[in-house]
Amino acid sequence: MLRKGLLPILFAVLISFAGTRLVACAGPAWPSDEERRFLDAYRDSVTVGATDEQFAHADKLYVEALQVLSETYVEKIDRAAFVENSIAMLDEIDTEDKSPTGIVGAVLDDSLHNLDPHSAYMTDDMFRRLQESTEGSFAGVGIVIALDDDKRIRIVSPIDDTPAARAGLRPDDRITHIDGYQMKGEPISEAVRRMRGRVGDPVTLTIMRVEDSFDVTVKRARIEVPSVSAAIIDQDIGYIRVSRFDATTLDQTQEYLSELEDKIAKPRGIIVDLRRNPGGLLDSAADIADQFLTDGLIVATEGRGERKLRSYEADRADFFDKVPMAILLDRGSASGAELMAAALRENGRGVIIGERSFGKGSMQRIMPLTSGGGLKITTGYYTTPENHIVQGNGVIPDIEVNRADAEEFEREIDLANALPARRRDPRQSLAKLDAKSCEQDIAITRLGKSSRDNLEDQTEDADNPYRDSVLECAVGYFNDGPLAAYRNQVEPLLRAGL
């Protein structure tokens, strides 16, 4: 059993999905006959003058990448088919870098994306940005992005209190142009490169929202946004929101939980808000779940052939012991957020309120290559304490809250080449509510740095003030109103571990 100390590394600068970790790779073997076919074929796609040394470097990159993929990918790779696909892709790749490494890197990236949405080739520059993202600080606009089925840049979520969030960008917006440059068909790395720049310099994003298209100009900023905020609701309910899991999230969480306990003498409940949390470092998510659990399995991982790899056990429970808990999820809650919510529920600690989550339950490893760059490869799945897998399924809430303003939103299973769903949790929601049915006025006192932040994005329309109706439903769970009946149903099941 493995515990603290394995540092999972998050993919890319803006895509914050949990469980990626850095693993060094051995050097490649000599190319096989099938690999030699690709090495001969790609030379015709190189349109700039290249030296024998540059070709040798690119050859080594391809052979080593295929070796690593064969040894570590979650499913057994058909090497001959992979090479055939690589050759066929030479006529389709669109890259400005026509050097040997540029061509081979583009082919590898597209080939890996054809295996699943999260596997990719990474350049040295992408590694540098990846490290920035796990430290919780980078210069940009502050959005989590992904590619949709049409290879358009999709906003998964704006990061709280960043230029993107303040400009009103929303989940599922598409970025069609960056400073006038057409982004359809471009890789994530190109979108990241164009949105990065010097602090204070403007960047114009062309946004497509449903049928509307418009420009948004924001100034780049140093994104050093706290990943945790907190508040006291109605004087006796603790509220803590975790927007992502990075290297600083645990310390921030512990600080706010201590403050909440100091300020609430007799807490009626604690709300843990994981809405729009796209994931991050697996260790961070497991450690934060551990703040509420005395024992039990938090999460485990399994690789090819369902071989168990490692597990995280609870040993702490420092905060809000025996205080009723509600965990908020929505369709933007992914990976580490899903795992944390499932761990708390399956250990009998809390009830989940909101929407079915995103459904990203696969594990990636970052593998530097001796030939430069590296691979992000899907190597396994995360399993919940009850041995369920959220991949493709998501986490079903105990109390589902339907919002009238909810928009269509792609989940993991909707992505191109998504890995299939496996071992679904058979739970069904105990209740389905219209969000408006439990709206109520609540008093919110924000703590610390979060005192200047909104708990959720709010409009400034005085005639139609924003209501966080899902949060209001969660507060109602602890009241003596209509939701008390559901609490009386759920709490005995939680205590029984059901």
Side-chain angles (χ1 to χ4, degrees), residues 283-314:
D283 280 349
S284 176
D287 283 341
I288 293 168
D290 199 3
Q291 305 307 302
F292 303 103
L293 298 171
T294 54
D295 55 28
L297 178 66
I298 296 176
V299 64
T301 65
E302 67 179 35
R304 187 182 296 177
E306 301 187 1
R307 180 171 62 91
K308 295 299 181 184
L309 299 177
R310 54 178 177 155
S311 62
Y312 294 75
E313 297 280 348

Short mmCIF file of all heavy atoms in Angstrom, two decimals, residues 283-314:
data_model
loop_
_atom_site.label_atom_id
_atom_site.label_comp_id
_atom_site.label_asym_id
_atom_site.label_seq_id
_atom_site.Cartn_x
_atom_site.Cartn_y
_atom_site.Cartn_z
N ASP A 283 -2.92 13.00 -4.94
CA ASP A 283 -2.54 13.03 -3.53
C ASP A 283 -3.30 14.12 -2.79
O ASP A 283 -3.73 13.94 -1.64
CB ASP A 283 -1.03 13.29 -3.38
CG ASP A 283 -0.20 12.03 -3.61
OD1 ASP A 283 -0.80 10.94 -3.68
OD2 ASP A 283 1.02 12.14 -3.71
N SER A 284 -3.46 15.27 -3.41
CA SER A 284 -4.16 16.38 -2.79
C SER A 284 -5.62 16.02 -2.54
O SER A 284 -6.15 16.26 -1.44
CB SER A 284 -4.05 17.63 -3.67
OG SER A 284 -4.80 18.70 -3.14
N ALA A 285 -6.29 15.44 -3.54
CA ALA A 285 -7.69 15.06 -3.37
C ALA A 285 -7.85 14.02 -2.26
O ALA A 285 -8.76 14.10 -1.43
CB ALA A 285 -8.24 14.52 -4.69
N ALA A 286 -6.95 13.03 -2.23
CA ALA A 286 -7.03 12.00 -1.20
C ALA A 286 -6.75 12.58 0.18
O ALA A 286 -7.43 12.23 1.16
CB ALA A 286 -6.04 10.88 -1.52
N ASP A 287 -5.77 13.47 0.28
CA ASP A 287 -5.45 14.06 1.57
C ASP A 287 -6.59 14.91 2.11
O ASP A 287 -6.83 14.94 3.33
CB ASP A 287 -4.18 14.92 1.45
CG ASP A 287 -2.91 14.09 1.40
OD1 ASP A 287 -2.97 12.92 1.82
OD2 ASP A 287 -1.88 14.60 0.95
N ILE A 288 -7.29 15.62 1.23
CA ILE A 288 -8.40 16.46 1.70
C ILE A 288 -9.57 15.58 2.14
O ILE A 288 -10.22 15.86 3.15
CB ILE A 288 -8.80 17.46 0.62
CG1 ILE A 288 -7.64 18.46 0.43
CG2 ILE A 288 -10.07 18.21 1.00
CD1 ILE A 288 -7.77 19.33 -0.78
N ALA A 289 -9.86 14.50 1.41
CA ALA A 289 -10.87 13.56 1.88
C ALA A 289 -10.50 13.03 3.26
O ALA A 289 -11.36 12.84 4.13
CB ALA A 289 -11.03 12.42 0.88
N ASP A 290 -9.21 12.81 3.47
CA ASP A 290 -8.71 12.25 4.74
C ASP A 290 -8.96 13.19 5.92
O ASP A 290 -8.96 12.76 7.07
CB ASP A 290 -7.22 11.95 4.61
CG ASP A 290 -6.71 10.98 5.65
OD1 ASP A 290 -7.53 10.50 6.46
OD2 ASP A 290 -5.50 10.71 5.66
N GLN A 291 -9.16 14.48 5.66
CA GLN A 291 -9.44 15.42 6.75
C GLN A 291 -10.77 15.10 7.44
O GLN A 291 -11.00 15.54 8.57
CB GLN A 291 -9.48 16.86 6.23
CG GLN A 291 -8.25 17.31 5.47
CD GLN A 291 -6.97 17.09 6.25
OE1 GLN A 291 -6.80 17.58 7.36
NE2 GLN A 291 -6.06 16.33 5.68
N PHE A 292 -11.63 14.33 6.77
CA PHE A 292 -12.95 14.05 7.31
C PHE A 292 -13.15 12.57 7.65
O PHE A 292 -14.25 12.18 8.05
CB PHE A 292 -14.02 14.47 6.30
CG PHE A 292 -13.96 15.92 5.90
CD1 PHE A 292 -13.43 16.29 4.67
CD2 PHE A 292 -14.43 16.92 6.74
CE1 PHE A 292 -13.39 17.61 4.28
CE2 PHE A 292 -14.38 18.25 6.37
CZ PHE A 292 -13.86 18.60 5.14
N LEU A 293 -12.13 11.73 7.45
CA LEU A 293 -12.28 10.29 7.63
C LEU A 293 -11.27 9.76 8.64
O LEU A 293 -10.09 10.12 8.59
CB LEU A 293 -12.08 9.56 6.29
CG LEU A 293 -13.08 9.88 5.17
CD1 LEU A 293 -12.62 9.24 3.86
CD2 LEU A 293 -14.47 9.40 5.55
N THR A 294 -11.72 8.89 9.54
CA THR A 294 -10.81 8.30 10.53
C THR A 294 -10.14 7.04 10.00
O THR A 294 -9.01 6.73 10.37
CB THR A 294 -11.57 7.94 11.81
OG1 THR A 294 -12.69 7.12 11.48
CG2 THR A 294 -12.05 9.18 12.53
N ASP A 295 -10.83 6.30 9.14
CA ASP A 295 -10.25 5.08 8.58
C ASP A 295 -11.01 4.74 7.30
O ASP A 295 -11.94 5.43 6.90
CB ASP A 295 -10.31 3.91 9.58
CG ASP A 295 -11.72 3.65 10.10
OD1 ASP A 295 -12.69 3.96 9.37
OD2 ASP A 295 -11.85 3.17 11.23
N GLY A 296 -10.57 3.67 6.66
CA GLY A 296 -11.21 3.23 5.44
C GLY A 296 -10.42 3.60 4.20
O GLY A 296 -9.56 4.48 4.21
N LEU A 297 -10.71 2.90 3.11
CA LEU A 297 -10.07 3.16 1.82
C LEU A 297 -10.62 4.44 1.23
O LEU A 297 -11.84 4.69 1.25
CB LEU A 297 -10.33 1.99 0.88
CG LEU A 297 -9.77 2.11 -0.55
CD1 LEU A 297 -8.25 2.12 -0.53
CD2 LEU A 297 -10.28 0.95 -1.41
N ILE A 298 -9.74 5.29 0.70
CA ILE A 298 -10.16 6.51 0.01
C ILE A 298 -10.26 6.27 -1.49
O ILE A 298 -11.28 6.53 -2.12
CB ILE A 298 -9.19 7.67 0.31
CG1 ILE A 298 -9.23 8.02 1.81
CG2 ILE A 298 -9.54 8.90 -0.53
CD1 ILE A 298 -8.22 9.08 2.21
N VAL A 299 -9.20 5.76 -2.08
CA VAL A 299 -9.19 5.48 -3.52
C VAL A 299 -8.08 4.47 -3.79
O VAL A 299 -7.10 4.40 -3.04
CB VAL A 299 -8.97 6.77 -4.35
CG1 VAL A 299 -7.61 7.38 -4.07
CG2 VAL A 299 -9.14 6.53 -5.84
N ALA A 300 -8.26 3.68 -4.83
CA ALA A 300 -7.22 2.74 -5.27
C ALA A 300 -7.07 2.88 -6.78
O ALA A 300 -7.90 3.51 -7.45
CB ALA A 300 -7.58 1.31 -4.89
N THR A 301 -6.01 2.31 -7.32
CA THR A 301 -5.80 2.34 -8.76
C THR A 301 -5.54 0.93 -9.26
O THR A 301 -5.02 0.08 -8.54
CB THR A 301 -4.60 3.23 -9.14
OG1 THR A 301 -3.39 2.66 -8.61
CG2 THR A 301 -4.77 4.64 -8.59
N GLU A 302 -5.95 0.68 -10.50
CA GLU A 302 -5.67 -0.61 -11.13
C GLU A 302 -5.23 -0.38 -12.56
O GLU A 302 -5.63 0.58 -13.21
CB GLU A 302 -6.90 -1.52 -11.08
CG GLU A 302 -8.07 -1.06 -11.92
CD GLU A 302 -9.25 -2.01 -11.85
OE1 GLU A 302 -9.48 -2.59 -10.78
OE2 GLU A 302 -9.93 -2.16 -12.89
N GLY A 303 -4.35 -1.28 -13.02
CA GLY A 303 -3.80 -1.14 -14.36
C GLY A 303 -4.31 -2.19 -15.32
O GLY A 303 -5.41 -2.72 -15.17
N ARG A 304 -3.49 -2.51 -16.30
CA ARG A 304 -3.88 -3.45 -17.35
C ARG A 304 -4.28 -4.79 -16.72
O ARG A 304 -3.61 -5.29 -15.83
CB ARG A 304 -2.72 -3.64 -18.32
CG ARG A 304 -3.06 -4.48 -19.54
CD ARG A 304 -1.86 -4.67 -20.42
NE ARG A 304 -1.37 -3.42 -20.99
CZ ARG A 304 -0.28 -3.32 -21.76
NH1 ARG A 304 0.44 -4.42 -22.01
NH2 ARG A 304 0.09 -2.16 -22.24
N GLY A 305 -5.39 -5.32 -17.18
CA GLY A 305 -5.86 -6.59 -16.65
C GLY A 305 -6.38 -6.50 -15.23
O GLY A 305 -6.40 -7.49 -14.50
N GLU A 306 -6.82 -5.30 -14.81
CA GLU A 306 -7.36 -5.07 -13.48
C GLU A 306 -6.34 -5.37 -12.38
O GLU A 306 -6.71 -5.72 -11.25
CB GLU A 306 -8.66 -5.86 -13.26
CG GLU A 306 -9.75 -5.50 -14.26
CD GLU A 306 -11.09 -6.15 -13.94
OE1 GLU A 306 -11.17 -6.87 -12.93
OE2 GLU A 306 -12.03 -5.94 -14.73
N ARG A 307 -5.08 -5.23 -12.71
CA ARG A 307 -4.03 -5.46 -11.70
C ARG A 307 -4.00 -4.28 -10.73
O ARG A 307 -3.86 -3.13 -11.13
CB ARG A 307 -2.67 -5.61 -12.38
CG ARG A 307 -1.51 -5.86 -11.42
CD ARG A 307 -0.26 -6.20 -12.19
NE ARG A 307 0.16 -5.13 -13.07
CZ ARG A 307 1.00 -4.15 -12.71
NH1 ARG A 307 1.49 -4.12 -11.48
NH2 ARG A 307 1.34 -3.21 -13.58
N LYS A 308 -4.15 -4.56 -9.43
CA LYS A 308 -4.14 -3.49 -8.43
C LYS A 308 -2.75 -2.88 -8.34
O LYS A 308 -1.74 -3.60 -8.29
CB LYS A 308 -4.56 -4.03 -7.07
CG LYS A 308 -6.00 -4.53 -7.01
CD LYS A 308 -7.00 -3.42 -7.33
CE LYS A 308 -8.44 -3.92 -7.25
NZ LYS A 308 -9.41 -2.87 -7.65
N LEU A 309 -2.69 -1.56 -8.29
CA LEU A 309 -1.41 -0.87 -8.29
C LEU A 309 -1.10 -0.21 -6.96
O LEU A 309 -0.06 -0.44 -6.37
CB LEU A 309 -1.41 0.20 -9.41
CG LEU A 309 -1.59 -0.34 -10.84
CD1 LEU A 309 -1.65 0.82 -11.83
CD2 LEU A 309 -0.48 -1.30 -11.20
N ARG A 310 -2.00 0.62 -6.43
CA ARG A 310 -1.73 1.31 -5.17
C ARG A 310 -3.04 1.74 -4.55
O ARG A 310 -4.09 1.74 -5.19
CB ARG A 310 -0.83 2.53 -5.39
CG ARG A 310 -1.35 3.52 -6.42
CD ARG A 310 -0.44 4.71 -6.55
NE ARG A 310 -0.89 5.62 -7.59
CZ ARG A 310 -0.63 6.90 -7.63
NH1 ARG A 310 0.08 7.45 -6.66
NH2 ARG A 310 -1.05 7.66 -8.61
N SER A 311 -3.00 2.11 -3.28
CA SER A 311 -4.20 2.53 -2.59
C SER A 311 -3.88 3.62 -1.59
O SER A 311 -2.73 3.77 -1.15
CB SER A 311 -4.86 1.34 -1.88
OG SER A 311 -3.99 0.81 -0.90
N TYR A 312 -4.90 4.39 -1.25
CA TYR A 312 -4.77 5.48 -0.27
C TYR A 312 -5.75 5.20 0.86
O TYR A 312 -6.97 5.13 0.63
CB TYR A 312 -5.11 6.83 -0.91
CG TYR A 312 -4.15 7.29 -1.98
CD1 TYR A 312 -4.15 6.70 -3.24
CD2 TYR A 312 -3.26 8.32 -1.74
CE1 TYR A 312 -3.28 7.12 -4.23
CE2 TYR A 312 -2.38 8.76 -2.72
CZ TYR A 312 -2.39 8.15 -3.96
OH TYR A 312 -1.53 8.57 -4.95
N GLU A 313 -5.26 5.03 2.06
CA GLU A 313 -6.09 4.74 3.22
C GLU A 313 -6.22 5.98 4.11
O GLU A 313 -5.28 6.77 4.25
CB GLU A 313 -5.48 3.60 4.04
CG GLU A 313 -5.39 2.27 3.31
CD GLU A 313 -6.72 1.53 3.30
OE1 GLU A 313 -7.63 1.95 4.05
OE2 GLU A 313 -6.84 0.54 2.57
N ALA A 314 -7.39 6.12 4.72
CA ALA A 314 -7.63 7.24 5.63
C ALA A 314 -7.01 6.95 7.00
O ALA A 314 -6.97 5.81 7.44
CB ALA A 314 -9.13 7.46 5.80
#
